[in-house]
Amino acid sequence: MLIWSPEYESMSRVRLEELQFKRLKETLQRIYDHVSFYRDKMKKQGVKPDDIRSLSDLKYLPFTTKEDLRENYPFGLFAVEMDEVVRIHASSGTTGKMTVVGYTKNDLKTWSEVMARSITSAGGGPRDRIQVAYGYGLFTGGLGVHYGAEFVGATVVPISGGNTKRQIQVMKDFGITLLACTPSYALYMAETAAEEGIDLRALPLKAGILGAEPWSENMRKEIEEQLGIKAYDIYGLSEIIGPGVAIECQEQNGLHICEDHFLPEVIDPLTGEPLPYGEKGELVFTTLTKEAFPIIRYRTKDVSLLYPEACDCGRTMARMNRILGRTDDMLIIRGVNVFPSQIESVLLENGDATPHYQLVVDRKGNLDDLEIWVEVSEKLFSSEVRKLESLGVKIKQKIESTLGIGVRVKLVEPKTIPRSEGKAKRVVDKRDVYKG
Amino acid sequence: MKVKQISVFLENKAGRLADVTKILGENQINIRALSIADTADFGILRLIVSDPQKALAVLKREGLTVSETEVIAVEIPDKPGGLAGVLKDLEEKKVNIEYMYAFVGKSLENAVVIFRVEEIDCAIKLLNDSQVRLLPESKVYRI
C-alpha cells in the first residue's frame, strides 16, 4: 500500500507539531485581522494571537459552534474577499438557515490533497475507476471525492446518488474498482444487485470509501461480505473542509487525521476542558491551512477519542476512533441530518401546543426507516375517521417537506411514549449505528 | 335536541376496548349505544352513555384522548323501510350525515338511530319541520 504524501503523512511527531504550531499562528493572525467575529470573541476572552505560545495554549482560544455559523450567515466568517472565493458549499440547517462555507483556489487544492491521501489509503490509484455515488451539489460529498480522485489520476464516474439499478449497471459495465457512497447505500446496492441476479463479489470492485453517516463494525463485515470489498471509513464535515478530514488505512483500526491541515482535540462536552489522548469526548477541530473559511476550535458534537501512536501502515498522523455517538440528539437517516426539534416545530405549527412524539429509526432491508409516533391530543382528535386520517397525512407531508426524506406517521394514544422524569424520550434508534 | 356523544381515540391493540368499558363500569356508567370506526392503525370509539359528563371526566383521568361530540337521536318506526323513510327525509332536507349507528334498546315501539350530521343546529331546525322525530337528551340517556 502506498502513501500519497509520505513527507507529511509519515513525518515525525516533533516536526509535525512544529509545523502545526507555525500554521496555527498564521491562521490566528489571519482570522484576527480579517474576521471581526473571531477578533471580537478573542478580545472578549482576553486573548491575542501573540498570547498563543505553544500548541497546548490552544485551550485559551474560544470555541466555534454551528450556531455561530448560522448567526454569521451567509459569508460573515469568510477571511478573504469574495473575489478570491471560487466555490461555495452548504449544509441544510435545523431551523431553516443553512451553514455556508467557502473555498479559495488553494483551499480546493488542499481538499484535493487530503482526498487524494484518503483514496490512496483505501488502496486507490491512477489505474482505478471510481464510482462517486455521493450526492453532487451543495453537499460536499460528491465534489470532494471527485476532485481528490482526479488529482490521484483515477478514472472518475460522477454518477451522484440515486437510480440504484443504473448504479449497478455502471459498476458492472464500466469495470468499477472503487465505490464512494454512504455505508447504508452500499448495502442497498448489494441488495438491489442480488434482486437483479448480479453478484457484486464477482465484479472487479475492490474497495469502498464510505462515510457521511455513522456505522458499526458489524455493518462493515456485512458490506465487505456482500460486496466482496474492503470497506474504509472516511470522516469529514463541511465546516472543516468536507470528506477527507480523516480516513482509515489498511489496518482498519482508527482513522488517520490529516493533522498537518486539521488540528484535532477531544474535549469534555460539559466543561469544555481538553481531554488527554485515549479519553472519549467531543471532537474539536481547528483548521491550519484554510484560507476562505478558517475555523477555530469547531465543536463537531461527534464523540470519539484520539490515539497518536504510530501505525503499522507507516503513517504517523494520529488516529481517531470511528464515531461513537453524538453530544446532541442529531440523527443521520439515509445520509440526511435529522433533529427531533424539526419534527416538533411541524407539530407546533399544526396547532398542537405540547406535542408528544417519538422518532423510531430502524434499518429495514438495509435502508433507514423513520416512523414518527404522534400522541393524539384532544386538540388534534376528532370523532370522524376522515379527519383523523387526513391529519396523519398532513403531518406526514409537512415533515417530509421539512426533512427531505420519506417518513411514516403513526397516531398513538396519549402516554404511549414513555416519559422519564416528565421528559419524553424523543428518539428510539434500533440501528445500533454506534456499536462495535 | 342535541345529544352528547363521547368519542375515544383507541390504538389498534389488544384489550383497549375492554379497558375503556371496564373504566365506565367501575364508575357506574351505563353504555346506551356504541359504534367503532377503525382504520389499519387506530379506532374511534363512539358512545352514548347514561352520564356523559362523568364519563368524560373519568376517561380523561385515565389518560385517554376523549372528546364530546354533539349528535342527534332519531326515533324510527320499527318496521321494514323505517330507516329508509327517515334517510329520505334527511336527504330532502339536505342534511349531510358524517356517520350513524343504531341503539340496541328501543324508545317505546320505535328504534333509535344516532346521526352525526354537518351543521347540527341547522339540521335540527330543518328536521323539526319534518316527519322525523328527534329524541331529547333526557330520554336518550335513560333508554
Side-chain angles (χ1 to χ4, degrees):
Chain A
M1 287 273 179
L2 292 170
I3 294 175
W4 179 257
S5 292
E7 66 275 30
Y8 291 106
E9 292 179 81
S10 301
M11 74 198 300
S12 78
R13 299 286 308 170
V14 176
R15 280 197 46 225
L16 172 68
E17 283 176 17
E18 283 168 15
L19 180 67
Q20 286 177 322
F21 181 63
K22 181 175 152 270
R23 288 178 168 178
L24 174 66
K25 294 286 282 184
E26 287 165 6
T27 298
L28 283 178
Q29 199 58 57
R30 196 159 58 241
I31 60 158
Y32 199 82
D33 293 344
H34 298 291
V35 188
S36 60
F37 165 80
Y38 283 117
R39 189 165 52 240
D40 295 346
K41 218 168 172 181
M42 283 169 72
K43 275 184 179 163
K44 214 183 265 174
Q45 200 126 323
V47 54
K48 293 190 298 293
D50 283 346
D51 297 333
I52 304 303
R53 298 202 173 89
S54 71
L55 281 180
S56 60
D57 287 343
L58 193 64
K59 60 173 181 278
Y60 301 119
L61 294 170
F63 289 116
T64 308
T65 63
K66 206 172 181 83
E67 288 68 45
D68 293 328
L69 266 66
R70 246 179 246 126
E71 278 163 25
N72 291 281
Y73 175 88
F75 307 137
L77 296 184
F78 285 19
V80 296
E81 296 298 318
M82 285 308 283
D83 299 6
E84 290 182 60
V85 175
V86 297
R87 175 90 69 78
I88 297 285
H89 279 286
S91 64
S92 61
T94 50
T95 48
K97 250 185 198 169
M98 297 183 288
T99 51
V100 183
V101 296
Y103 302 78
T104 63
K105 275 185 183 164
N106 276 334
D107 290 335
L108 290 184
K109 274 185 200 155
T110 304
W111 197 6
S112 296
E113 160 71 21
V114 296
M115 260 319 300
R117 292 182 191 179
S118 295
I119 291 163
T120 309
S121 188
R127 281 188 301 276
D128 281 295
R129 294 171 198 175
I130 179 165
Q131 180 165 350
V132 184
Y134 284 117
Y136 278 68
L138 284 177
F139 174 57
T140 50
L143 286 167
V145 175
H146 182 106
Y147 279 76
E150 284 190 351
F151 192 38
V152 164
T155 306
V156 183
V157 180
I159 191 166
S160 194
N163 199 344
T164 310
K165 282 184 186 171
R166 196 181 60 173
Q167 297 265 3
I168 289 155
Q169 191 189 349
V170 161
M171 189 181 284
K172 184 168 160 268
D173 297 350
F174 293 9
I176 296 293
T177 56
L178 293 176
L179 171 66
C181 62
T182 62
S184 55
Y185 194 57
L187 273 180
Y188 184 66
M189 278 188 192
E191 189 185 308
T192 310
E195 280 166 16
E196 302 279 294
I198 296 165
D199 184 4
L200 295 184
R201 284 170 297 197
L203 303 183
L205 193 67
K206 62 178 186 188
I209 297 170
L210 313 176
E213 68 183 14
W215 48 313
S216 65
E217 199 53 44
N218 279 343
M219 201 165 159
R220 188 213 303 271
K221 279 188 199 124
E222 220 174 299
I223 292 169
E224 294 194 332
E225 202 183 296
Q226 290 191 29
L227 284 85
I229 60 171
K230 263 196 121 172
Y232 295 94
D233 191 3
I234 186 168
Y235 177 79
L237 59 172
S238 62
E239 294 88 340
I240 305 306
I241 201 157
V245 173
I247 183 140
E248 286 180 328
C249 61
Q250 78 245 23
E251 304 299 318
Q252 293 181 314
N253 182 22
L255 294 77
H256 288 285
I257 298 166
C258 290
E259 281 186 289
D260 50 333
H261 295 287
F262 318 113
L263 187 58
E265 293 173 88
V266 167
I267 61 155
D268 179 329
L270 296 177
T271 64
E273 284 301 309
L275 295 173
Y277 285 129
E279 274 188 40
K280 205 168 97 175
E282 180 179 343
L283 262 181
V284 170
F285 283 103
T286 299
T287 62
L288 296 175
T289 50
K290 289 272 292 295
E291 294 179 344
F293 193 83
I295 198 161
I296 300 299
R297 301 194 86 198
Y298 182 66
R299 296 188 61 156
T300 64
K301 297 192 175 178
D302 285 326
V303 175
S304 182
L305 49 110
L306 297 172
Y307 23 102
E309 296 81 15
C311 179
D312 287 345
C313 74
R315 290 177 183 81
T316 52
M317 301 273 128
R319 281 166 287 169
M320 56 179 263
N321 201 91
R322 68 162 65 236
I323 300 300
L324 295 164
R326 292 278 301 175
T327 61
D328 62 6
D329 52 6
M330 186 182 90
L331 292 160
I332 302 178
I333 297 167
R334 273 170 260 156
V336 174
N337 296 353
V338 173
F339 289 89
S341 55
Q342 291 172 292
I343 311 292
E344 180 154 335
S345 56
V346 167
L347 295 174
L348 283 168
E349 274 171 43
N350 224 32
D352 198 350
T354 51
H356 282 295
Y357 59 93
Q358 188 169 57
L359 285 69
V360 183
V361 195
D362 205 349
R363 193 157 273 155
K364 291 195 172 157
N366 294 329
L367 262 198
D368 293 337
D369 176 84
L370 174 57
E371 184 169 80
I372 295 152
W373 291 20
V374 181
E375 285 188 3
V376 176
S377 64
E378 266 166 50
K379 256 222 158 106
L380 300 180
F381 183 50
S382 160
S383 69
E384 288 166 45
V385 173
R386 192 162 43 91
K387 285 190 184 151
L388 265 187
E389 279 189 327
S390 72
L391 169 80
V393 171
K394 206 170 99 196
I395 293 175
K396 177 183 152 75
Q397 285 168 345
K398 270 197 178 166
I399 292 176
E400 286 179 344
S401 74
T402 304
L403 299 183
I405 53 169
V407 302
R408 286 180 295 120
V409 169
K410 188 177 165 190
L411 300 178
V412 299
E413 282 178 32
K415 307 283 187 297
T416 303
I417 295 159
R419 272 88 163 151
S420 52
E421 287 158 29
K423 242 184 118 183
K425 192 170 174 336
R426 292 291 180 226
V427 175
V428 175
D429 196 336
K430 299 177 179 170
R431 298 174 299 175
D432 286 339
V433 283
Y434 294 117
K435 268 197 191 151
Chain B
M1 284 311 212
K2 288 181 215 163
V3 174
K4 290 190 173 67
Q5 167 194 282
I6 303 297
S7 314
V8 189
F9 179 79
L10 294 180
E11 262 176 78
N12 279 358
K13 44 184 192 193
R16 293 311 283 146
L17 187 56
D19 293 342
V20 172
T21 49
K22 186 165 164 264
I23 294 165
L24 295 176
E26 283 168 357
N27 288 281
Q28 310 302 318
I29 297 162
N30 209 344
I31 299 168
R32 299 299 184 200
L34 104 181
S35 93
I36 299 175
D38 69 319
T39 71
D41 299 318
F42 61 83
I44 302 165
L45 174 64
R46 299 151 182 161
L47 298 162
I48 303 294
V49 295
S50 55
D51 188 344
Q53 240 104 42
K54 194 174 168 193
L56 194 71
V58 298
L59 292 174
K60 263 190 189 173
R61 206 167 56 216
E62 293 292 329
L64 288 145
T65 297
V66 197
S67 73
E68 203 179 72
T69 314
E70 289 179 329
V71 294
I72 52 175
V74 179
E75 256 188 310
I76 290 176
D78 191 7
K79 61 176 193 201
L83 179 60
V86 171
L87 288 177
K88 192 166 162 279
D89 286 338
L90 290 175
E91 195 198 327
E92 273 168 12
K93 298 280 179 193
K94 300 212 182 326
V95 174
N96 261 334
I97 303 165
E98 302 279 3
Y99 54 80
M100 54 171 282
Y101 53 98
F103 252 72
V104 184
K106 277 190 184 180
S107 168
L108 300 172
E109 284 313 302
N110 289 325
V112 180
V113 172
I114 298 292
F115 287 95
R116 163 75 179 166
V117 296
E118 274 178 12
E119 293 171 56
I120 190 163
D121 292 311
C122 180
I124 289 169
K125 218 190 266 160
L126 290 170
L127 293 175
N128 279 337
D129 300 336
S130 75
Q131 301 290 316
V132 177
R133 290 178 58 195
L134 300 181
L135 272 178
E137 253 187 304
S138 53
K139 252 185 163 173
V140 173
Y141 302 148
R142 271 184 276 115
I143 290 171

